[in-house]
Amino acid sequence: MRFKFLCALALVLALSSSSFAAGNLAFIPDIRDSQVMPPNNYICQTMLVGNKLITFRSWLDIPYVSNPVEPEYHRLNVYIPEEYFHEGGTINGYTAKTAPILMPNGVGGYMPGRAFVPANDMRHGGPNIALAALAHGYVVIAPAIRGRTLEHGKAPALIVDYKAAVRWVRHNKDKLPAGDTEKIISDGLSAGGALSSLLGATGNAKDYEPYLKAIGASEERDDIFASVVYCPITDLDHADMPYEWVFNGVNTYHLGPAREMDENMKAASEALKKAFPAYLNSLSLKGYTLDENGNGTFRDFIEGLYISAAQKALDAGENVLGLDWLTVKDGKVIAADLAKYAVWATRMKAAPAFDSLNMASYENNEFADKHFTEYSFTHSTAQKPAMADEAVIRLMNPLNFIGVEGVDTAKHWRIRHGVKDRDTSLAVPAILALKLRDAGYDADVAAVWGVPHDGNYDLPELFEWIDSICK
Ligand code: DHB
């Protein structure tokens, strides 16, 4: 009752503030004030989560840079649980001072990403991550992010924006009514997972500075505490190789109507599969290698991730029997066969999976309709093949920044990939995790049974992990 009264009072204050245009009540944020959290321009919202009413305050559409080249996207939303506005208010042991700040991004397909809005979207049978996080006691700050279809949205725009949003949060450390700015956690899936991993990997890396300056980002740190990564479409300049390491020999692809790969694609598959062991070995991952046939401890690691996923599902009472790629004996999953797995999972993309020969993939578009690998550039079937700027390709790959002097990579990582995911090879998130571990970071990586290309489907477990690193 008290909350409702305070919220109503706040609304009256907000309506009387000068930022509201009289007449149509449209909220018109002042671009010149872009670096500042507006104190009173919030609305109160109450939503049902399970059988509990959750009340929170929402600041919407705050510009987060002073030179917003895409003003529709250079904005973020701040959501804070109502409890934190009241003396002694706590949720799950968090207070206004200690609550972690979750910054989910809504990027998919390297397209522009809208700011997350708390909702019972029911995608996974209940609230989305923003609403569930508020109910759990986190502060949520959700930036919109530029993407490849905008005039100013090509690589590396998306990571520049995510960093700028983090800097905005730090710039407003003393103005934010709640949230620990040293506990910022990113989250995303697919291209958004790649983005989350980039933000986590590249904290304070100088290389992005000119881009940040150009959009008028705050001069603040942009390192974060933890990175949550689902099925990341990342390591773009190498990911074609592990895709073929897994799917070579499966010649029908399913992006669009099911089709057979043509001779160029099959040749690419052969060449890329052969090239993968040398790439993997060049990373010098401690204890993980491949021989020239693609066998070895790294393959064992990948098969082991599938075995663990199946075992967890089996222990939870799910049926994992009857699959020719998985061996189960006496309630124990004892083997997974990657070659048979590929036949079962089916191939989604023709070879090369990311840097497409005709230069028409999402990723080619992200790199301004250019190639970004030597193989596809030299074997291009496009009318006017072009190669993306090497420096831009570098800025899009988190692996280039992990363990590098002067870069503040996030300490904690949770990386998940569905067992049914064929958008990229499980080797991609696995390499990310191993590289992080080798550099001394805490990287929790797992494949998840029954899950396709998706994210934010295991919020109770995710929040348990966040609580374990924050408390
Ligand atoms: C996404 C999926 C893809 O298969 C891809 O190549 C790039 C992005 C996505 O869902 O974000």
Side-chain angles (χ1 to χ4, degrees):
M1 218 41 222
R2 201 170 53 135
F3 289 172
K4 280 194 189 131
F5 170 73
L6 285 168
C7 270
L9 184 66
L11 194 63
V12 171
L13 285 173
L15 290 174
S16 61
S17 114
S18 59
S19 291
F20 273 81
N24 63 7
L25 292 185
F27 177 37
I28 305 176
D30 185 342
I31 297 287
R32 289 162 304 175
D33 252 5
S34 62
Q35 306 294 345
V36 178
M37 168 94 182
N40 292 325
N41 296 331
Y42 61 85
I43 55 170
C44 272
Q45 290 175 278
T46 297
M47 292 183 186
L48 200 59
V49 175
N51 56 5
K52 244 179 100 180
L53 282 174
I54 302 298
T55 301
F56 54 95
R57 298 188 188 185
S58 305
W59 286 255
L60 304 176
D61 278 337
I62 309 171
Y64 59 78
V65 293
S66 58
N67 180 27
V69 293
E70 297 283 358
E72 202 186 327
Y73 285 90
H74 279 139
R75 287 162 189 267
L76 54 73
N77 298 343
V78 174
Y79 307 102
I80 301 179
E82 183 61 32
E83 276 85 342
Y84 295 147
F85 296 90
H86 305 283
E87 191 69 28
T90 66
I91 308 174
N92 278 325
Y94 293 115
T95 65
K97 253 199 160 77
T98 65
I101 300 176
L102 184 69
M103 293 187 67
N105 78 72
V107 168
Y110 284 97
M111 296 289 281
R114 297 276 175 199
F116 253 92
V117 173
N120 275 301
D121 71 356
M122 303 307 283
R123 268 201 60 196
H124 300 290
N128 66 8
I129 187 166
L131 179 55
L134 290 166
H136 197 79
Y138 305 151
V139 166
V140 176
I141 300 187
I145 303 264
R146 286 176 293 166
R148 62 187 167 87
T149 51
L150 300 173
E151 190 186 344
H152 305 286
K154 305 291 187 193
L158 81 179
I159 177 58
V160 174
D161 287 0
Y162 217 9
K163 281 175 174 291
V166 169
R167 288 173 173 217
W168 181 93
V169 172
R170 286 243 165 74
H171 192 69
N172 285 283
K173 179 177 176 338
D174 298 327
K175 296 200 175 61
L176 281 168
D180 180 352
T181 54
E182 294 311 306
K183 294 278 159 56
I184 295 175
I185 302 169
S186 64
D187 167 84
L189 67 106
S190 195
L195 175 55
S196 182
S197 64
L198 264 172
L199 185 70
T202 64
N204 305 325
K206 296 274 177 286
D207 318 59
Y208 300 88
E209 210 52 56
Y211 294 95
L212 287 156
K213 269 213 161 63
I215 57 170
S218 298
E219 289 189 15
E220 300 280 348
R221 286 164 38 220
D222 54 48
D223 59 295
I224 59 168
F225 178 66
S227 187
V228 176
V229 177
Y230 289 96
C231 55
I233 304 290
T234 193
D235 195 10
L236 295 176
D237 40 335
H238 306 105
D240 292 332
M241 292 182 278
Y243 201 83
E244 297 315 314
W245 175 65
V246 174
F247 289 105
N248 175 263
V250 179
N251 288 328
T252 309
Y253 64 104
H254 295 83
L255 191 59
R259 279 165 289 174
E260 283 299 292
M261 293 207 294
D262 65 24
E263 291 314 309
N264 287 335
M265 295 165 178
K266 284 183 192 162
S269 175
E270 288 299 323
L272 292 164
K273 173 196 169 172
K274 278 209 182 81
F276 182 56
Y279 169 61
L280 189 277
N281 295 334
S282 78
L283 296 169
S284 304
L285 301 171
K286 284 181 203 138
Y288 297 100
T289 56
L290 289 175
D291 66 20
E292 60 184 21
N293 297 318
N295 296 317
T297 43
F298 182 77
R299 190 186 192 96
D300 299 342
F301 181 68
I302 296 300
E303 291 180 342
L305 288 173
Y306 286 131
I307 291 171
S308 301
Q311 186 69 55
K312 191 172 170 196
L314 189 63
D315 294 344
E318 288 180 57
N319 181 14
V320 303
L321 301 176
L323 300 171
D324 69 348
W325 63 275
L326 204 63
T327 312
V328 184
K329 240 191 194 152
D330 304 326
K332 288 271 167 272
V333 183
I334 55 174
D337 179 321
L338 199 55
K340 287 183 181 159
Y341 161 85
V343 176
W344 170 81
T346 72
R347 172 192 281 273
M348 178 181 171
K349 296 170 177 178
F354 301 97
D355 190 359
S356 160
L357 294 177
N358 63 4
M359 227 165 59
S361 70
Y362 290 176
E363 289 76 15
N364 292 123
N365 190 230
E366 170 67 2
F367 284 109
D369 301 312
K370 292 183 176 150
H371 287 298
F372 48 91
T373 67
E374 202 53 42
Y375 182 89
S376 293
F377 181 56
T378 51
H379 295 81
S380 184
T381 59
Q383 282 203 334
K384 285 190 183 153
M387 189 70 178
D389 183 348
E390 203 179 309
V392 173
I393 299 172
R394 200 179 94 77
L395 294 180
M396 289 291 286
N397 192 333
L399 300 182
N400 294 326
F401 296 86
I402 298 165
V404 170
E405 181 118 355
V407 178
D408 301 305
T409 296
K411 287 198 167 53
H412 303 282
W413 293 72
R414 185 176 189 270
I415 303 169
R416 292 292 181 270
H417 197 79
V419 168
K420 285 191 191 158
D421 196 322
R422 324 104 83 212
D423 282 59
T424 194
S425 160
L426 175 59
V428 169
I431 288 170
L432 174 65
L434 292 174
K435 179 130 181 140
L436 287 161
R437 283 181 189 171
D438 284 357
Y441 301 106
D442 154 35
D444 172 337
V445 63
V448 187
W449 193 258
V451 169
H453 190 61
D454 201 0
N456 297 338
Y457 41 75
D458 53 352
L459 298 179
E461 278 180 88
L462 170 62
F463 293 172
E464 204 176 295
W465 177 81
I466 292 177
D467 293 346
S468 78
I469 58 168
C470 286
K471 284 184 178 171

